[in-house]
Amino acid sequence: MSLFASCWNSPGRDIDHSYDGRRGSSNRSPGNGRRLTSLYKEGKDGLSLCQDLGKCGSGEFSVAVVQANQVLEDQCQLESGDFGTFVGVYDGHGGPDASRYVCDNLFRNFQAISAEMEGTVNGETIRRAFLETEEGFISLVSQSWMSQPAIASSGSCCLVGLSTEHNANLESVRHELKELHPDDPQIVVLRHGVWRIKGIIQVSHSVGDVYLKRSEFNREPLNPKFRLREPFDAPILSADPVITSHAIQPNDCFLIFASDGLWEHLTNEQAVEIVQSHSPVGIAKRLVKAALQEAARKREMRYSDLRKIDKKVLRHFHDDITVIVLFLNHDLLTRGCVQYPPPVSIRSAAEQ
């Protein structure tokens, strides 16, 4: 699951969270004069990406990623400058194509739309950025359909901060889906104790998963295991984000952005307790380790033995895990762009 948030310099200082749940040029800086940094350091403490602590316009941040899939499907980025701070964690499925595309294009689209609206940042700005990113990915799928049809089954979905998951295991989500598809008794199916949309996927919002949105991609040459037997008229999944705005309070200290590889093993309360109880330095790495220790415990094995498992089968023990912890510096937030820290742009490396 991918989490997106933006912090801006307007009075009142709100944080907007949006839920939405192909490799482009990751070396292109999204803003003039901005420093672009790649976090890719394979092998350090078993992590794929790591930065113990860095500074940005909203305060400080810590990043860590551990890979489980043979190709890392998680992507992440942090953009910071005189506009504020943007954090994205993109949890791909069905391959890395959609999450890489989102990482390369969502923030760029967001900036362009904001500039078009003369700097306006609101729910509509965010929504348009997501939908434009979705349309761009659909165009890529269409162009690549005959040579790379598998891209149609690649998606990247999002987990909202400060709101609930969009997962078919939640009764409210199943109710929403049944209302949207009243003529389809198989819109949600219970298999092996897990509710799935059309018996295939748990998430109801995503960028990508084009084969579940446009029927022209639900056919050959797409792999039969993804194709639905019956035709559909309306999109089964949605790229339309659900947006929550939270006005930052003096006692708000940090935000934890993570893919569901973390939340499969830690509760919200456990993650918050870890951050509150330890130094900010390396805190994202500490959260990842705590999740892996819990994954090992569930398998009745030692953490050290989990670390030794071959990458070809590691996905059977845990998912890719991405964590970004953003610590809020209220002094920086209240004074806006005065003495703003140097611009920062951090993105997952394309070489993954």
Side-chain angles (χ1 to χ4, degrees), residues 170-208:
L170 297 173
E171 185 177 355
S172 59
V173 173
R174 296 197 299 273
H175 180 73
E176 176 190 9
L177 287 165
K178 289 176 181 178
E179 284 196 334
L180 290 171
H181 304 274
D183 299 325
D184 188 352
Q186 299 295 311
I187 188 62
V188 285
V189 178
L190 183 64
R191 289 187 177 175
H192 308 294
V194 177
W195 286 98
R196 295 182 181 274
I197 300 166
K198 302 299 292 183
I200 297 174
I201 192 169
Q202 289 180 267
V203 299
S204 59
H205 288 232
S206 71
V207 171

Side-chain angles (χ1 to χ4, degrees), residues 27-279:
N27 293 321
R28 186 186 302 124
S29 174
N32 293 332
R34 186 163 306 155
R35 184 173 75 251
L36 180 64
T37 305
S38 169
L39 294 177
Y40 189 51
K41 292 185 178 180
E42 184 175 9
K44 181 179 179 182
D45 298 321
L47 300 174
S48 299
L49 307 173
C50 180
Q51 182 158 334
D52 285 340
L53 198 68
K55 292 184 180 297
C56 66
S58 298
E60 296 177 316
F61 65 92
S62 179
V63 184
V65 179
V66 67
Q67 179 175 343
N69 290 288
Q70 292 192 47
V71 177
L72 182 64
E73 295 183 340
D74 278 10
Q75 296 289 307
C76 63
Q77 71 182 126
L78 185 147
E79 312 286 349
S80 181
D82 56 7
F83 56 85
T85 301
F86 174 105
V87 178
V89 176
Y90 313 113
D91 185 345
H93 50 262
D97 299 281
S99 58
R100 287 176 175 175
Y101 186 89
V102 173
C103 191
D104 283 336
N105 291 279
L106 178 59
F107 177 67
R108 188 153 47 225
N109 289 338
F110 188 77
Q111 278 198 310
I113 293 168
S114 177
E116 176 188 315
M117 299 174 67
E118 298 181 345
T120 300
V121 177
N122 54 29
E124 183 60 20
T125 319
I126 297 171
R127 180 176 179 273
R128 285 181 56 191
F130 267 94
L131 296 182
E132 188 164 320
T133 304
E134 165 85 345
E135 287 302 314
F137 187 72
I138 291 174
S139 177
L140 176 65
V141 171
S142 181
Q143 295 169 20
S144 310
W145 176 237
M146 296 308 298
S147 60
Q148 295 176 290
I151 296 178
S153 61
S154 177
S156 187
C157 47
C158 313
L159 173 67
V160 183
L162 307 177
S163 73
T164 56
E165 295 182 62
H166 282 200
N167 188 300
N169 280 313
L170 297 173
E171 185 177 355
S172 59
V173 173
R174 296 197 299 273
H175 180 73
E176 176 190 9
L177 287 165
K178 289 176 181 178
E179 284 196 334
L180 290 171
H181 304 274
D183 299 325
D184 188 352
Q186 299 295 311
I187 188 62
V188 285
V189 178
L190 183 64
R191 289 187 177 175
H192 308 294
V194 177
W195 286 98
R196 295 182 181 274
I197 300 166
K198 302 299 292 183
I200 297 174
I201 192 169
Q202 289 180 267
V203 299
S204 59
H205 288 232
S206 71
V207 171
D209 294 308
V210 179
Y211 73 112
L212 293 173
K213 296 172 180 174
R214 299 199 178 185
S215 58
E216 64 264 34
F217 299 111
N218 182 42
R219 59 179 177 83
E220 292 183 347
L222 184 66
N223 190 314
K225 72 177 182 179
F226 293 111
R227 299 204 300 264
L228 301 180
R229 294 179 180 179
E230 66 280 0
F232 59 90
D233 297 322
I236 295 169
L237 305 186
S238 172
D240 203 357
V242 174
I243 301 165
T244 300
S245 182
H246 170 74
I248 297 178
Q249 304 299 317
N251 60 344
D252 290 333
C253 300
F254 57 84
L255 292 164
I256 302 173
F257 303 90
S259 58
D260 67 351
L262 182 81
W263 307 117
E264 287 173 356
H265 302 294
L266 297 181
T267 65
N268 292 342
E269 292 76 16
Q270 288 172 326
V272 169
E273 175 63 24
I274 290 170
V275 177
Q276 287 180 330
S277 303
H278 296 88
S279 165

